[in-house]
Amino acid sequence: MSETLRNQPTGWMSHCWRQLTGENPFSGDCLPSRVPLFRTGRPTLPFPHLWNYKEPIKIFETFYCDAGTEIGAARHNRYLYIAGLPPVLLSRDPAVIRAVLSATGDKPGQFDRDTAPTAGIARATGVDSLLYANGAIWRRQKRLSAEPFSRANLFQPEKFHGFEQTFRKTVSERLEALRAHQKASGQKTIRIQLEAEIKVVMLEMLVNNFFGGRVAYDELRGRFVPALESLIEHMISDTVAPMSQAFYRLVTGRNAILRRRQADFEALTDIALAGRADGLGLWQQFQSDASNDALRSNIRVFLAGAMEATTSFASWAISHLSHALAIQEQVFDEVKGMTVYDPDNLMSAVTLNRVLEETLRLTPALYFLPRRATVDTWIETTDHRKMYIPEGTQIRLDVWHANRCEEFWGREVTGYPAEAFAPERWEFLARKGITSREMLHFGFGHGPRFCPGRFLGLLEVGLVVGALVKLFKFTAVSERTGAKAGVSTKPADGVLVDMELRA
Ligand code: HEM
């Protein structure tokens, strides 16, 4: 770090001074450029407020509006610097995203996960969860959850077989119900929004198969899914505008509804924990003397977060396939003879795996990853560019736009346009000897805070998508499907498709 930077005072006054003089608080050869607070002709303002917080992707888009005139790193790394506050850095540069994620953790000088965009989640689930905590608490929670979620554990043939059987039974029962519904309608095709169906199956697999609970489908659908949905909505508004939302609930009498939803969430958490005493589901693999109370925050995060993330992932995969009928047929050819979804079978379904990889690239469930610089920090990218990030900087790693940027994922690099759904791009990259470990899309994050639920999520989503394709042919109703974004992204039309039973 240069002497000038090191000796500069920090705090409100110095931020104000730099903001007024236009001094760039970052340094190095990978310098971000400043985003003006007000400018006409942009989709919205570059920060969330009451009228735009439901369109976070549009807020990020605003950051890049006039970035085309910038040169090099400044086109993809932008910062907002206002009102005496520390800077907000937004990056769609995959090398910077990778460097920040690798340097996140509990060691001195490493980045924290920024808790500001998840304050509402923490109020609903608890502050000591693996998702929310930083430092020593995060490390302890990570150690606790490592074993039950590990690849070695879940994909170990005997254990895998147990989960696979129960998961498959759950999925087949739901699809059978859909099949019966279609037959009863007497129509060749039915029009349906699949997201609602997927959500219940995902929660059912998690609660009943993974945690060993015994909740009836109707109760999941009628009580617990609506409770989680409305709490997730509440978490978002409670993050962006806690005071005005509290006032709104008070005057509209909605506090009573919120309390009922919270009680339902607690009841579901109790059900998930109840299997621990008898070693049901994942609890067989859980070795710890931590009390049930010490685990509650994590269980709440697993229930709400995993339902949300797996629903997003499966909904997008099915939505993409509903627009790409030739690829849907290729997946059908792979799964039509498959009766057991064991690791070998799943690995051999090459197109299905590419569909899942491409889904996470183009439409990641978690569209941005928040970090915070706890001290003045230098990062270095794998192509040896350096950036100095001042203490207190709020970092938004914009995975959504990084993965759609032609420069990084376009025709020249991957053989296909960045904005297209093209599972074949992974074959193109493989032929060039480039693996998905090198071309990171960050769909499950990267580095120490990588998603612990990756193998479970892949298993569940692979199973749901494979089983659906095996039974039905489905076609998108709209020509193009946009995205809605909250805690995660989802197809804006709720996966509206025309479904037809296969012969
Ligand atoms: C299959 C769909 C899933 C996707 C796309 C997904 C995505 C992600 C991503 C991108 C992160 C990194 C967040 C960050 O770096 O800030 C993450 C972290 C996390 N995921 Fe997942 N996830 C999925 C499923 C699951 C499941 C099934 C569980 C648990 C049952 C889970 C639990 C977590 C937790 C607890 C973290 C925080 C880890 C930490 O901070 O150390 N996820 N997930």
Side-chain angles (χ1 to χ4, degrees):
M1 192 194 315
S2 76
E3 277 308 304
T4 8
L5 280 172
R6 190 178 294 142
N7 293 335
Q8 270 176 356
T10 53
W12 190 78
M13 285 296 284
S14 78
H15 285 308
C16 284
W17 178 247
R18 284 189 204 152
Q19 284 156 10
L20 285 173
T21 57
E23 187 190 327
N24 192 328
F26 298 86
S27 174
D29 48 14
C30 182
L31 207 57
S33 54
R34 188 167 177 179
V35 176
L37 183 55
F38 298 108
R39 172 154 300 175
T40 50
R42 296 189 302 192
T44 184
L45 284 170
F47 56 85
H49 54 74
L50 264 182
W51 288 273
N52 73 355
Y53 78 92
K54 290 196 172 164
E55 296 178 303
I57 292 178
K58 210 189 244 186
I59 301 176
F60 286 173
E61 232 169 77
T62 302
F63 273 73
Y64 307 115
C65 260
D66 45 8
T69 55
E70 303 284 349
I71 298 164
R75 275 213 309 278
H76 306 300
N77 298 286
R78 308 274 286 161
Y79 71 95
L80 187 69
Y81 202 21
I82 47 168
L85 298 170
V88 177
L89 171 68
L90 185 82
S91 179
R92 61 172 172 184
D93 180 340
V96 169
I97 296 178
R98 182 184 198 136
V100 172
L101 291 180
S102 303
T104 296
D106 59 339
K107 300 203 179 74
Q110 289 193 318
F111 296 104
D112 270 354
R113 173 179 280 124
D114 188 359
T115 52
T118 44
I121 299 183
R123 276 192 282 275
T125 58
V127 290
D128 60 341
S129 75
L130 178 56
L131 181 74
Y132 186 82
N134 281 305
I137 300 178
W138 165 72
R139 178 62 69 188
R140 198 168 60 242
Q141 298 286 26
K142 192 171 168 66
R143 264 192 233 112
L144 274 180
S145 58
E147 179 59 18
F149 283 100
S150 71
R151 183 174 212 280
N153 187 17
L154 278 172
F155 277 58
Q156 198 232 8
E158 277 163 39
K159 287 176 187 161
F160 184 95
H161 207 63
F163 280 125
E164 189 271 340
Q165 271 179 337
T166 51
F167 283 173
R168 186 153 42 89
K169 186 167 168 293
T170 299
V171 174
S172 331
E173 279 171 12
R174 292 310 136 229
L175 288 178
E176 269 312 313
L178 270 182
R179 187 215 288 265
H181 173 60
Q182 165 134 31
K183 279 214 160 136
S185 76
Q187 314 269 322
K188 191 163 172 257
T189 59
I190 51 167
R191 185 160 285 190
I192 184 167
Q193 274 186 312
L194 281 175
E195 184 194 313
E197 312 299 319
I198 294 167
K199 205 173 259 180
V200 193
V201 177
M202 289 308 182
L203 191 63
E204 192 173 11
M205 283 199 275
L206 203 66
V207 173
N208 289 349
N209 303 151
F210 201 59
F211 284 115
R214 289 185 198 90
V215 187
Y217 174 80
D218 289 341
E219 195 175 10
L220 283 169
R221 183 167 201 133
R223 179 183 172 198
F224 291 121
V225 168
L228 285 179
E229 276 176 335
S230 87
L231 278 179
I232 289 168
E233 268 294 303
H234 164 72
M235 289 173 201
I236 300 169
S237 51
D238 190 37
T239 300
V240 180
M243 303 293 276
S244 63
Q245 287 301 314
F247 180 70
Y248 172 71
R249 282 197 310 274
L250 193 71
V251 295
T252 55
R254 282 173 184 264
N255 273 330
I257 302 176
L258 180 64
R259 275 195 298 275
R260 258 203 319 277
R261 298 307 194 195
Q262 282 164 336
D264 285 339
F265 194 21
E266 287 313 293
L268 195 65
T269 309
D270 285 336
I271 291 167
L273 276 163
R276 187 179 179 196
D278 300 326
L280 301 177
L282 115 147
W283 294 114
Q284 282 167 47
Q285 273 77 53
F286 189 71
Q287 310 292 339
S288 164
D289 51 13
S291 70
N292 276 3
D293 271 352
L295 301 176
R296 288 191 85 81
S297 303
N298 266 347
I299 302 296
R300 290 189 200 105
V301 161
F302 289 161
L303 289 170
M307 181 189 82
E308 184 70 13
T310 52
T311 301
S312 158
F313 188 8
S315 296
W316 275 122
I318 291 166
S319 173
H320 292 314
L321 286 176
S322 73
H323 287 279
L325 300 185
I327 301 171
Q328 195 183 126
E329 287 316 294
Q330 283 175 31
V331 175
F332 175 68
D333 282 340
E334 285 178 352
V335 297
K336 66 181 175 205
M338 218 187 259
T339 47
V340 176
Y341 289 78
D342 63 18
D344 287 344
N345 275 347
L346 279 179
M347 288 311 284
S348 70
V350 178
T351 311
L352 176 59
N353 283 313
R354 287 193 182 129
V355 164
L356 298 185
E357 193 85 76
E358 181 68 352
T359 298
L360 278 182
R361 180 199 71 83
L362 184 63
T363 43
L366 299 198
Y367 50 104
F368 81 102
L369 308 174
R371 296 293 184 267
R372 203 178 69 87
T374 54
V375 291
D376 294 341
T377 311
W378 279 98
I379 54 159
E380 182 168 1
T381 61
T382 45
D383 52 357
H384 308 295
R385 290 175 293 142
K386 288 189 177 164
M387 188 197 289
Y388 163 83
I389 304 178
E391 178 183 348
T393 302
Q394 296 186 318
I395 307 170
R396 304 286 174 260
L397 302 171
D398 181 1
V399 173
W400 184 272
H401 289 105
N403 292 357
R404 287 167 172 252
C405 187
E406 197 61 17
E407 189 175 325
F408 306 120
W409 283 94
R411 228 180 252 283
E412 264 186 40
V413 189
T414 68
Y416 296 86
E419 298 232 15
F421 175 75
E424 315 85 293
R425 89 174 67 238
W426 296 97
E427 195 185 333
F428 178 93
L429 288 168
R431 276 203 306 272
K432 282 173 53 175
I434 302 171
T435 64
S436 53
R437 274 169 188 262
E438 290 162 83
M439 287 289 289
L440 294 178
H441 57 55
F442 309 105
F444 286 109
H446 178 70
R449 300 204 72 148
F450 190 76
C451 175
R454 179 187 175 200
F455 299 115
L456 173 66
L458 276 172
L459 171 61
E460 290 179 345
V461 174
L463 205 77
V464 167
V465 176
L468 187 79
V469 172
K470 196 168 155 181
L471 213 56
F472 295 99
K473 207 182 249 185
F474 43 92
T475 315
V477 172
S478 51
E479 209 168 296
R480 281 174 63 88
T481 302
K484 55 184 176 189
V487 168
S488 69
T489 66
K490 301 214 190 65
D493 63 359
V495 199
L496 184 65
V497 293
D498 285 331
M499 280 208 328
E500 188 184 328
L501 263 173
R502 289 185 184 271

